[in-house]
Amino acid sequence: MRTIAITNQKGGSGKTTTAVNLAGALAEQGGKVLVLDLDPQGNASRWLGTPSDGKRMLSVLSRESPLADVVVPTSIDGVHVAPGGAWLASAERALAGEVGAELALKEALASLDGMSWDFVLVDTPPTLGLLTISALVACDEVLAPVEASSLAIVGVGDLVRTVERVRDRLNPRLRWLGVVATRVDSRTNVSREVVALIRTRFGSDAFDTIVRESVRFKEAPSHQVWMGEYDAHGVGHRDYRSLATEVRARRAA
Ligand SMILES: Nc1ncnc2c1ncn2[C@@H]1O[C@H](COP(=O)(O)OP(=O)(O)OP(=O)(O)O)[C@@H](O)[C@H]1O
Ligand SMILES: [Mg+2]
């Protein structure tokens, strides 16, 4: 079971879009995938057709419920979701004073080992609080989407430092799966520059795949279907298929 935290504290970088559509593409290629929604916004859960108040996910983080009880199927063959939602916004406060709160998700994921998932994709909120740290402690791999617009690349230094700190202090197994440029519009200088900067900065940790800008990504969530169903012949589906192929090729050490 490969565990992948999809993270970038910069809001709107494409984390949720990547979680949902990479999950679909990995499943299409034969994988069994669990999407774990750790974001109080609950966008991934809504997109996957399983909106939630997040109360049950919060009880998993409080060690009161087993994660397996929270998991539900989605309309995508091979994809399950552990939905999140607004209650998760109170995680920080609810778990304050609990020693080892950031380890609860790791224990919950360990309890899934032996079940049939090949990939767990954890969608994280755009903050560096307990929820994101829990994801980085629980997972072996980090995948960061970076929006190819002028300001987005600025926050990447923080992300790199966070990953290094979590690795040094809390989770020595943590490694980069890769950084992927999203919302790329190759007609613009800024998109080309961001793609080049990612390649310079991350070297072989940068994915060859780039995810292009497509208006379809804005439409699909309200239909509660992923790109493979909403626009199977479009660039969005093609790009996430290509990302899935790379993710499978980059096996965790
Ligand atoms: N490749 C793309 N082309 C066009 N629009 C995109 C693309 N990827 C994401 N978007 C749009 O950008 C916005 C942000 O995407 P998304 O919700 O996936 O980011 P996020 O990192 O999960 O945001 P948050 O930090 O709020 O959780 C959404 O409106 C989404 O539809
Ligand atoms: Mg999101």
Side-chain angles (χ1 to χ4, degrees):
M1 188 174 84
R2 289 176 62 184
T3 49
I4 301 170
I6 299 178
T7 196
N8 184 342
Q9 70 272 38
K10 166 86 173 54
S13 53
K15 295 179 287 294
T16 299
T17 302
T18 298
V20 169
N21 293 288
L22 179 59
L26 285 168
E28 199 174 56
Q29 295 174 13
K32 293 263 181 281
V33 188
L34 173 64
V35 175
L36 203 151
D37 187 358
L38 266 200
D39 189 346
Q41 297 176 97
N43 291 337
S45 306
R46 220 170 291 118
W47 192 342
L48 289 166
T50 57
S52 164
D53 59 10
K55 206 170 177 176
R56 302 186 72 199
M57 183 64 88
L58 184 62
S59 79
V60 170
L61 298 178
S62 312
R63 297 185 169 88
E64 283 160 11
S65 307
L67 178 54
D69 286 5
V70 178
V71 173
V72 288
T74 71
S75 62
I76 310 173
D77 218 16
V79 179
H80 284 73
V81 60
W87 275 74
L88 290 172
S90 62
E92 217 89 32
R93 198 163 15 93
L95 301 175
E98 171 132 4
V99 177
E102 72 278 4
L103 296 173
L105 185 67
K106 182 188 169 77
E107 294 160 17
L109 281 189
S111 76
L112 295 183
D113 233 349
M115 295 193 186
S116 62
W117 288 293
D118 301 306
F119 299 92
V120 178
L121 305 183
V122 184
D123 189 19
T124 62
T127 49
L128 262 186
L130 175 67
L131 295 165
T132 296
I133 299 295
S134 294
L136 292 173
V137 168
C139 292
D140 293 338
E141 304 177 66
V142 188
L143 190 163
V146 173
E147 191 195 343
S149 73
S150 58
L151 290 172
I153 194 82
V154 174
V156 163
D158 292 340
L159 176 64
V160 170
R161 272 187 296 279
T162 304
V163 169
E164 281 168 3
R165 278 186 198 147
V166 171
R167 185 194 288 135
D168 289 348
R169 298 174 189 174
L170 296 164
N171 179 11
R173 291 169 62 95
L174 189 64
R175 59 185 282 280
W176 280 104
L177 171 56
V179 176
V180 61
T182 62
R183 308 197 60 174
V184 175
D185 180 350
S186 303
R187 291 167 307 184
T188 65
N189 289 335
V190 63
S191 263
R192 287 197 299 270
E193 276 167 32
V194 170
V195 170
L197 268 169
I198 290 172
R199 297 216 158 117
T200 311
R201 171 135 201 187
F202 289 94
S204 61
D205 287 337
F207 282 105
D208 292 332
T209 300
I210 55 172
V211 179
R212 286 166 284 184
E213 175 81 14
S214 160
V215 68
R216 300 293 193 172
F217 284 111
K218 294 207 192 301
E219 301 165 359
S222 59
H223 298 270
Q224 301 189 338
V225 289
W226 76 293
M227 218 39 73
E229 197 176 328
Y230 186 66
D231 189 26
H233 302 293
V235 297
H237 182 215
R238 201 175 315 148
D239 291 345
Y240 277 105
R241 256 191 344 228
S242 153
L243 186 64
T245 303
E246 272 197 83
V247 164
R248 290 193 302 122
R250 294 181 174 204
R251 283 224 56 103

